[in-house]
Amino acid sequence: MYPQTGCLGPGHQLFALGMLAKVRRDLQSKQRPEFPALLEKALEEVAASNRNVEKMIISSERFANATDDEVESLGRMLDGFDVSIVLFLRRQDSLAESMFAQAMRVRWTKFSKEKLLNPLNPRFKFYTLIQRWEQVFGNGSVGVCRFGKTPEGGGDLIDQFLDAVGARAARTDKRDFRSNTKLSRDALEFLFHHTDLSFGTIEYNRLDARLVEFSQVNPTPPQFKNFFSPDERRHILDNHADENENVARRLFDAESLFDGSLPGENEDWQPYPGLSPVAKAAIEGFLYRAKAA
């Protein structure tokens, strides 16, 4: 069962925030739920469902940010439960791009490219990450899937996840699942630098939805698609090559962890020049027409 308790958007972000001490301190919201209280409420939700529930799934990307102490604390809170961890690994250069785009989208002003380029960034040390969780929940407790790598038997990312938790039969209609939406570079720039909206408010959600529509008809030109240059992306991969090799050899009996070509020297990449007056006017006009419709 995938409980609604603790959900913020499509995932259980509140569960993760409830155990990440530093993130909780940084939250502006006065509502800072503790993990044990959320767990108790989720178990009550399961009991009230009157279903024969064998597994309860709690899912959030933010769990990957947990420190050693926080994972140990989580282990104590889940004492008595049979816990399995499913970890999706995305190639670090692609993950850095996604994290930076998401930080801009939620208007997280403390985020920076320098943090992602830091070779000591723990979020990209995948072998260390796996060991951190196994030290608390036991060897073999962490199942690893490679993001973007088609599993045997076909299927997409959702099928991979459902296979990993033993619930593929639960997927009967793909329309039941939400897909991630994207904003163009111009739309991201407009949202981040030209509004003062707080993430998650009604006004923010309304604008974000309109900017998704704008992005669909005004996509980012290919040369501006990446936030990081080819050199920077190769730098990220080089910094974590040893960790990736350790994961590949131990868990997949393979030489490399990820498929795909490396960022190339001759890649058609240019630094994004910023939101031009013409592009800003186009967005404002689009929003005005959408509001009037």
Side-chain angles (χ1 to χ4, degrees), residues 210 214 218 281-293:
R210 296 301 188 193
F214 176 85
N218 298 275
I283 292 176
E284 291 172 339
F286 181 91
L287 295 175
Y288 177 79
R289 291 189 296 272
K291 185 177 181 179

Side-chain angles (χ1 to χ4, degrees), residues 182-217:
K182 293 184 178 180
L183 298 183
S184 68
R185 291 296 298 272
D186 285 342
L188 277 173
E189 190 81 358
F190 181 87
L191 179 61
F192 190 81
H193 289 293
H194 298 277
T195 77
D196 59 357
L197 299 176
S198 297
F199 172 69
T201 62
I202 294 175
E203 294 80 7
Y204 170 93
N205 291 338
R206 185 181 295 120
L207 176 61
D208 183 81
R210 296 301 188 193
L211 290 176
V212 168
E213 296 174 7
F214 176 85
S215 300
Q216 290 170 345
V217 295

Side-chain angles (χ1 to χ4, degrees), residues 40-57:
E40 182 178 354
K41 187 176 179 181
L43 292 173
E44 291 174 355
E45 180 184 341
V46 170
S49 70
N50 294 320
R51 294 162 53 188
N52 184 22
V53 177
E54 296 181 359
K55 299 177 181 178
M56 182 172 69
I57 300 169

Side-chain angles (χ1 to χ4, degrees), residues 26-290:
D26 291 342
L27 287 177
Q28 295 180 359
S29 172
K30 294 181 180 180
Q31 296 182 345
R32 303 178 181 181
E34 295 283 355
F35 189 98
L38 285 170
L39 180 60
E40 182 178 354
K41 187 176 179 181
L43 292 173
E44 291 174 355
E45 180 184 341
V46 170
S49 70
N50 294 320
R51 294 162 53 188
N52 184 22
V53 177
E54 296 181 359
K55 299 177 181 178
M56 182 172 69
I57 300 169
I58 300 174
S59 174
S60 171
E61 294 178 348
R62 291 179 180 267
F63 283 117
N65 296 324
T67 64
D68 291 348
D69 289 343
E70 288 165 345
V71 176
E72 289 179 7
S73 176
L74 180 64
R76 291 191 293 271
M77 288 185 279
L78 293 176
D79 185 37
F81 291 89
D82 183 10
V83 179
S84 296
I85 295 100
V86 177
L87 177 63
F88 274 80
L89 300 181
R90 186 174 188 173
R91 205 173 81 170
Q92 284 94 340
D93 58 328
S94 176
L95 179 58
E97 292 277 344
S98 176
M99 290 175 67
F100 193 80
Q102 186 64 14
M104 286 193 68
R105 188 166 182 174
V106 302
R107 307 192 72 249
W108 186 9
T109 58
K110 294 183 179 180
F111 209 68
S112 68
K113 291 178 68 174
E114 288 71 26
K115 289 183 178 180
L116 294 173
L117 290 171
N118 187 342
L120 300 179
N121 189 324
R123 184 63 178 83
F124 296 153
K125 294 183 176 296
F126 294 155
Y127 192 69
T128 302
L129 176 63
I130 293 168
Q131 289 182 310
R132 176 177 300 129
W133 288 81
E134 284 191 335
Q135 286 172 357
V136 174
F137 294 99
N139 289 336
S141 61
V142 179
V144 176
C145 299
R146 288 171 282 189
F147 183 93
K149 186 175 178 65
T150 303
E152 293 183 8
D156 58 14
L157 183 64
I158 295 173
D159 285 335
Q160 277 187 278
F161 176 78
L162 293 175
D163 281 339
V165 299
R168 172 74 84 95
R171 184 172 189 173
T172 57
D173 188 339
K174 292 187 178 183
R175 291 174 297 177
D176 291 338
F177 297 89
R178 288 179 50 184
S179 299
N180 287 338
T181 58
K182 293 184 178 180
L183 298 183
S184 68
R185 291 296 298 272
D186 285 342
L188 277 173
E189 190 81 358
F190 181 87
L191 179 61
F192 190 81
H193 289 293
H194 298 277
T195 77
D196 59 357
L197 299 176
S198 297
F199 172 69
T201 62
I202 294 175
E203 294 80 7
Y204 170 93
N205 291 338
R206 185 181 295 120
L207 176 61
D208 183 81
R210 296 301 188 193
L211 290 176
V212 168
E213 296 174 7
F214 176 85
S215 300
Q216 290 170 345
V217 295
N218 298 275
T220 303
Q223 67 271 27
F224 302 135
K225 182 181 70 172
N226 292 106
F227 293 90
F228 297 88
S229 71
D231 284 343
E232 289 172 325
R233 281 176 274 142
R234 286 196 303 272
H235 175 73
I236 292 172
L237 291 174
D238 289 343
N239 284 336
H240 305 289
D242 290 343
E243 291 249 346
N244 287 357
E245 184 177 343
N246 286 336
V247 177
R249 289 182 181 278
R250 178 188 157 190
L251 297 180
F252 299 102
D253 193 25
E255 294 295 325
S256 61
L257 184 59
F258 299 107
D259 297 331
S261 59
L262 299 178
E265 295 179 0
N266 298 321
E267 183 178 326
D268 183 18
W269 178 86
Q270 297 178 30
Y272 175 67
L275 187 66
S276 69
V278 173
K280 183 173 183 290
I283 292 176
E284 291 172 339
F286 181 91
L287 295 175
Y288 177 79
R289 291 189 296 272

